């Protein structure tokens, strides 16, 4: 166990110029080693002990030691973990693209491709192209173009060039015409059902053998909108082992108005046409995509071959399963329209803006996606790991406060009034806070009659009676050992005077009402704080409608 802890401590020290962040280390250990979760206390004591040892040796030696026991955890300059993220066949530099549909803002699933493309462009030098794939007018949300750019900026991803496919229609038309002229594509007017039946038996439809001239004429009529329900098909192999590859469609007619181009176009390319054409014209060297696209890659190869273009390097990574949030853009949109969700940043959604609102830092998302990398094996996304990384980032600036949810009154008899001055942060100088104890406090816990408890940072008390929502207790003693002997519990509290009305909205969108201690009123919107024994929250709003009310979003424990 010491060995495991040592590598995390060393890494933390190297990341923070010689100062270990014990809580961050704990988070990482628990996320990566679930079997240690039952021994949290023991582990934490070891972390503290080992941290002291590590901090006493020079950084150079720390690095050597880490290289020895866990070379994959050695940190390079710029805080990037060294890992085996390598692209094959890189010449001088790379040109890569991130190609979302502008149907909504980016969500966690998108961030993988965005981050990895950005990472490789930064690693090898080259160009990051944002390509907005908006050739399905039904799946375009006008606001999304801008939201996607904002989201990338938030992730600290620099876009070198932006391409909008709906502005490139003439280019696609021209390439389609060339394919028809070469005899590699044809206009098909068959009923879709009928075509499918033939295709599944490996039989060509009657359109396949039409002359180039006839096809060009029909193509013109498609563009003029005087031919209903026609598609252009690519001639592949009508007996290909995968029926979906057999003469797949590359253009279709669509009369839905396009939010950007209106009714200017009625013939739209399908992605297995526009993607390879653009990948070629933009000089894309490496394409990162999920394994679920392998069949699309196979289809797109036909286009490259017919035009005699050089095929980019394709990397198909495993599927990333993200559970516990909503990622379907259409479901999100529907929910927003029906007012089930408050907006694209509703905490139940997996959008980047929802995560941002909860206090998840872009660096945490970036790092979690780099850790997933481009392995071909499917992976389940670990929220715990994201939270552990985020905790490491936010902990050092998060002020501590007491917060009691569903508050009950507790009256303590026989206790001397006392004012506590507590640090805003256990190991950094972020100021102090004042908690005046005058015998009456709010608590959240359910107490038992005759039970012994300790008001955090104060004294031990014995509960005498409970009347409705009010608990009466008597001062018992100062010594913590007495409490421990009686197996009593430490409870946190806030003085009844000057409490701050606080609402915490959790990841399910539920509201938790309670009181925070008085100094909490000085936080700013956007601050991330830790409610002790409760978790990290981001201050989202301060409403001053008579009495102050602070709205927070829950980040994680
Ligand atoms: Zn046909």
């Amino acid at each position: 166990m010491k060995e495991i802890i040592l590598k995390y401590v060393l890494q933390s020290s190297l990341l923070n110029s010689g100062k270990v962040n014990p809580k961050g280390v704990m988070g990482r250990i628990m996320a990566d080693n679930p079997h240690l979760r039952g021994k949290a206390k023991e582990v934490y004591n070891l972390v503290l002990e080992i941290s002291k040892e590590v901090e006493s040796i020079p950084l150079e030696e720390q690095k050597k030691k880490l290289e020895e026991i866990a070379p994959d955890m050695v940190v390079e300059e710029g805080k990037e973990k060294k890992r085996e993220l390598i692209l094959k066949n890189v010449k001088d530099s790379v040109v890569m693209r991130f190609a979302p549909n502008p149907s909504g803002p980016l969500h966690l699933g998108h961030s993988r491709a965005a981050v990895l493309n950005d990472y490789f462009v930064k690693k090898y030098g080259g160009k990051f192209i944002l390509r907005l794939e908006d050739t399905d007018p039904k799946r375009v949300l006008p606001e999304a173009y801008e939201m996607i750019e904002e989201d990338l900026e938030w992730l600290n991803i620099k876009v070198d060039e932006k391409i909008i496919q709906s502005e490139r229609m003439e280019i696609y038309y021209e390439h389609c015409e060339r394919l028809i002229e070469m005899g590699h594509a044809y206009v098909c007017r068959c009923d879709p059902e009928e075509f499918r039946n033939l295709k599944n038996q490996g039989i060509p439809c009657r359109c396949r053998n039409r002359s180039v001239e006839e096809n060009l004429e029909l193509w013109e009529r498609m563009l003029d909108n005087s031919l209903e329900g026609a598609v252009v098909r690519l001639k592949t192999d009508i007996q290909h082992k995968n029926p979906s590859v057999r003469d797949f469609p590359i253009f279709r007619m669509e009369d839905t108005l396009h939010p950007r181009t209106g009714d200017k176009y009625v013939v739209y390319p399908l992605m297995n046409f526009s993607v390879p054409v653009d990948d070629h014209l933009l000089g894309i060297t490496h394409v990162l995509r999920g394994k679920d696209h392998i069949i699309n890659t196979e289809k797109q190869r036909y286009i490259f071959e017919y035009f005699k273009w050089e095929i980019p390097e394709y990397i198909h990574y495993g599927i990333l399963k993200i559970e516990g949030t909503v990622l379907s853009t259409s479901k999100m949109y529907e929910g927003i329209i029906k007012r089930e969700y408050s907006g694209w940043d509703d905490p139940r959604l997996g959008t980047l803006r929802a995560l941002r609102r909860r206090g998840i830092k872009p660096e945490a998302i970036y790092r979690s996606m780099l850790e997933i990398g481009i392995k071909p094996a499917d992976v389940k996304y670990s929220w715990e790991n994201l939270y552990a990384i985020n905790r490491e980032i936010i902990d050092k600036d998060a002020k501590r406060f007491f917060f009691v949810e569903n508050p009950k009154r507790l009256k303590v008899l026989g206790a001397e009034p006392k004012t506590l001055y507590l640090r805003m942060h256990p190991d950094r100088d972020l100021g102090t806070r004042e908690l005046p104890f005058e015998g009456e406090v709010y608590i959240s816990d359910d107490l038992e009659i005759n039970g012994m408890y300790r008001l955090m940072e104060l004294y031990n008390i014995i509960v005498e009676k409970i009347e409705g929502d009010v608990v009466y207790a008597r001062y018992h003693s100062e010594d913590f050992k007495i409490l421990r002997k009686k197996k009593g519990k430490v409870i946190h509290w806030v003085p009844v005077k000057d409490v701050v009305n606080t609402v915490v909205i959790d990841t399910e969108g539920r509201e938790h009402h309670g009181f925070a201690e008085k100094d909490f009123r000085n936080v700013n919107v956007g601050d991330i704080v830790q409610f002790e024994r409760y978790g990290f929250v981001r201050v989202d709003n301060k409403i001053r409608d008579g009495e102050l009310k602070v709205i927070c979003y829950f980040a994680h424990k």
Side-chain angles (χ1 to χ4, degrees):
M1 187 153 82
K2 269 199 165 177
E3 177 97 335
I4 295 177
I5 295 170
L6 178 61
K7 60 185 186 187
Y8 289 95
V9 168
L10 283 167
Q11 193 193 39
S12 170
S13 168
L14 289 166
L15 271 170
N16 298 297
S17 22
K19 180 94 186 75
V20 180
N21 171 357
K23 285 196 177 153
V25 167
M26 266 310 271
R28 300 302 304 275
I29 293 175
M30 292 301 150
D32 294 353
N33 305 277
H35 64 283
L36 290 177
R37 281 183 198 154
K39 299 180 190 158
K41 203 157 175 218
E42 193 186 332
V43 173
Y44 191 60
N45 286 334
L46 273 171
V47 167
L48 293 178
E49 194 185 308
I50 295 172
S51 298
K52 264 193 200 143
E53 287 170 26
V54 164
E55 283 172 356
S56 70
I57 60 172
L59 279 175
E60 257 329 289
E61 266 183 64
Q62 293 182 20
K63 196 170 175 193
K64 256 186 225 152
K65 182 82 195 157
L66 186 59
E67 272 163 356
E68 214 177 289
I69 61 167
D72 58 319
M73 285 177 74
V74 173
V75 177
E76 292 292 75
E77 277 171 16
K79 293 197 172 187
E80 211 80 290
K81 264 195 196 173
K82 191 181 186 180
R83 67 197 81 238
E84 287 305 299
L85 270 182
I86 287 168
L87 291 178
K88 280 186 216 154
N89 296 328
V90 175
K91 281 162 195 156
D92 302 324
S93 59
V94 294
V95 180
M96 301 183 70
R97 79 325 195 254
F98 171 59
N101 292 122
S103 51
L106 298 184
H107 59 62
L108 201 51
H110 291 117
S111 68
R112 183 190 197 183
V115 163
L116 288 164
N117 278 299
D118 178 73
Y119 174 81
F120 286 123
V121 169
K122 282 176 180 156
K123 176 176 177 138
Y124 294 112
K127 199 152 81 169
F128 180 103
I129 297 175
L130 167 63
R131 188 169 73 210
L132 294 151
E133 301 199 336
D134 60 345
T135 55
D136 181 354
K138 283 204 176 81
R139 291 177 60 199
V140 175
L141 182 75
E143 312 87 279
Y145 296 82
E146 222 175 286
M147 290 197 281
I148 289 171
E149 286 190 75
E150 286 164 9
D151 292 342
L152 289 174
E153 205 183 315
W154 181 70
L155 276 176
N156 194 23
I157 288 175
K158 191 176 152 273
V159 174
D160 298 302
E161 194 179 334
K162 183 177 77 175
I163 298 292
I164 298 176
Q165 285 192 323
S166 63
E167 293 173 357
R168 297 165 64 80
M169 297 293 277
E170 309 296 338
I171 295 173
Y172 306 132
Y173 289 171
E174 186 204 314
H175 282 84
C176 180
E177 225 166 277
R178 281 168 59 190
L179 281 178
I180 294 174
E181 281 164 1
M182 290 188 280
H184 292 311
Y186 60 96
V187 175
C188 170
R189 302 172 68 185
C190 295
D191 170 69
E193 193 61 32
E194 191 188 324
F195 180 84
R196 195 174 310 125
N197 282 335
L198 289 169
K199 172 193 85 170
N200 285 343
Q201 301 168 59
I203 302 170
C205 76
R206 61 180 178 277
C207 319
R208 202 182 206 248
N209 285 323
R210 252 198 298 266
S211 69
V212 168
E213 289 69 31
E214 273 176 296
N215 274 318
L216 285 173
E217 197 195 310
L218 289 170
W219 167 246
E220 282 306 320
R221 284 178 58 198
M222 277 177 79
L223 296 178
D224 286 348
N225 200 12
S226 58
L227 200 65
E228 240 168 76
V231 297
V232 178
R233 296 189 178 280
L234 192 72
K235 273 189 200 167
T236 60
D237 173 358
I238 201 67
Q239 288 179 348
H240 192 281
K241 63 182 190 308
N242 184 327
S244 82
V245 178
R246 298 175 188 169
D247 287 18
F248 64 86
I250 54 174
F251 277 86
R252 65 187 183 105
M253 300 188 70
E254 170 66 63
D255 51 17
T256 305
L257 287 187
H258 193 288
R260 286 179 85 91
T261 54
D263 62 357
K264 190 170 174 194
Y265 304 107
V266 289
V267 177
Y268 288 92
L270 286 144
M271 72 94 116
N272 280 320
F273 182 80
S274 47
V275 165
V277 168
D278 278 344
D279 282 348
H280 169 74
L281 294 177
L282 302 172
I284 303 296
T285 60
H286 294 74
V287 175
L288 300 181
R289 47 168 64 152
K291 274 196 316 202
D292 49 334
H293 280 285
I294 285 179
I295 198 70
N296 288 326
T297 302
E298 195 166 342
K299 291 179 184 176
Q300 293 169 21
R301 281 180 193 276
Y302 281 95
I303 309 272
F304 282 95
E305 275 160 23
Y306 289 155
F307 284 116
K308 299 192 167 57
W309 290 338
E310 197 183 328
I311 297 178
E313 189 76 27
Y314 290 101
I315 298 97
H316 294 104
Y317 48 59
I319 308 300
L320 178 61
K321 278 171 271 184
I322 305 176
E323 291 167 3
T325 189
V326 183
L327 292 179
S328 148
T329 307
S330 55
K331 266 192 197 140
M332 293 190 219
Y333 184 69
E334 220 172 277
I336 292 167
I337 295 296
K338 287 186 190 159
R339 293 178 187 264
E340 283 164 16
Y341 301 131
S342 58
W344 290 106
D345 56 2
D346 186 288
R348 284 163 286 186
L349 307 183
T351 59
L352 298 185
R353 38 199 73 209
L355 294 169
R356 176 173 65 191
R357 193 163 195 189
R358 287 173 47 197
I360 307 296
K361 294 289 185 181
E363 305 92 287
I365 295 171
Y366 200 105
R367 274 169 57 189
S368 83
M369 289 301 165
L370 277 193
E371 285 180 15
I372 288 162
I374 53 172
K375 293 183 286 282
D378 293 352
V379 224
K380 194 174 147 204
Y381 189 70
S382 164
W383 288 97
E384 278 313 311
N385 188 47
L386 174 70
Y387 295 159
I389 300 171
N390 200 58
R391 204 175 289 125
E392 205 176 283
I393 297 168
I394 62 177
D395 181 78
K396 63 182 192 309
D397 298 314
K399 291 181 176 170
R400 271 57 170 174
F401 294 99
F402 285 170
F403 165 72
V404 293
E405 191 181 313
N406 301 324
K408 291 182 274 283
R409 238 168 220 269
L410 168 69
K411 294 189 183 189
V412 185
L413 307 169
E416 287 290 311
K418 184 174 175 182
T419 298
L420 293 182
Y421 296 93
L422 301 178
R423 297 169 65 98
M424 293 276 199
H425 194 282
D427 21 75
R428 291 192 64 216
D429 185 15
L430 299 182
T432 51
R433 43 200 244 262
E434 186 193 80
L435 276 126
F437 173 79
E438 287 166 5
E440 228 179 300
V441 297
Y442 285 116
I443 56 166
S444 187
D445 300 67
D446 287 318
L447 307 189
E448 279 169 23
I449 292 177
N450 294 328
M452 181 181 281
Y453 300 91
R454 184 182 184 82
L455 294 177
M456 195 186 270
E457 309 280 347
L458 270 178
Y459 8 69
N460 307 327
I461 57 167
I462 296 273
V463 175
E464 294 192 325
K465 61 176 177 178
I466 301 171
E467 281 178 7
D469 258 359
V470 186
V471 180
Y472 294 86
R474 185 166 289 280
Y475 169 84
H476 184 274
S477 49
E478 293 270 348
D479 197 344
F480 190 78
K481 281 182 214 136
I482 298 172
L483 179 87
R484 209 186 293 158
K485 214 177 280 169
K486 295 234 172 185
K487 297 209 163 79
K489 194 178 161 194
V490 178
I491 53 176
H492 61 293
W493 52 278
V494 295
V496 286
K497 231 173 106 188
D498 302 327
V499 288
V500 182
N501 239 315
T502 302
V503 181
V504 176
I505 298 173
D506 69 16
T507 54
E508 300 295 323
R510 286 180 303 235
E511 292 187 356
H512 300 260
H513 293 258
F515 294 136
E517 60 180 89
K518 72 178 173 63
D519 289 334
F520 184 62
R521 71 180 56 246
N522 299 322
V523 293
N524 297 313
V525 169
D527 283 357
I528 297 169
V529 305
Q530 187 185 26
F531 284 149
E532 298 211 30
R533 295 197 167 188
Y534 189 88
F536 291 90
V537 300
R538 184 185 151 276
V539 178
D540 191 69
N541 199 1
K542 289 173 85 173
I543 303 166
R544 275 184 203 81
D545 183 16
E547 214 182 331
L548 173 71
K549 190 169 167 187
V550 182
I551 312 291
C552 303
Y553 276 71
F554 188 76
H556 46 71
K557 286 271 179 196

